[in-house]
Amino acid sequence: MPARPFAAPAPGTDPAPGIAEDAGSDSSVSSGGTPAADTAAFHYHRVERHVTDMIQSGRFRPGDRLPSLRGLSTSMGLSIATVGHAYLELERKGIIEARPRSGYFVRQGMRGLPVPQARPAPPTGPREV
């Protein structure tokens, strides 16, 4: 009987010899040594968090040049497109700025990331109209 290309493997058989059944899933630590919860978000969020942490820690100050897309993608093991997406989001948020033919830099006006302000709770109870 010929094998069906999309049929589920028979019970008790190895679905793909030589490949672990749970490779890359549900481990408590990802291959990068970070908690698995970090892998639940989009990869570009991880890059954003990494860059903002470096700015917060003082490693990069206003006016400093950030790592190139290619350099950061290599060091984090991600695609250049993913790092580019993160840099565009950081630029949109006003944290970094792109300079043509020069790269990405921490914005001059950045003294630290703004702390989110708590919004007052909406009034509860009856209101007079």
Side-chain angles (χ1 to χ4, degrees), residues 83-105:
V83 175
H85 187 159
Y87 275 21
L88 288 174
E89 283 297 309
L90 290 169
E91 187 177 18
R92 186 184 62 79
K93 293 175 182 177
I95 297 169
I96 67 174
E97 63 185 0
R99 295 182 191 165
R101 301 183 55 94
S102 297
Y104 288 89
F105 293 79

Side-chain angles (χ1 to χ4, degrees), residues 43-63:
H43 290 296
Y44 78 92
H45 288 161
R46 210 173 85 206
V47 176
E48 281 185 69
R49 198 164 39 250
H50 177 71
V51 172
T52 55
D53 287 347
M54 289 191 297
I55 294 169
Q56 288 279 3
S57 71
R59 180 167 179 203
F60 293 112
R61 294 189 309 249

Side-chain angles (χ1 to χ4, degrees), residues 3 6 16 39 64 76-77 79 83 85 96 116 120 123:
F6 297 107
T39 60
D64 285 352
M76 293 189 76
S79 73
V83 175
H85 187 159
I96 67 174

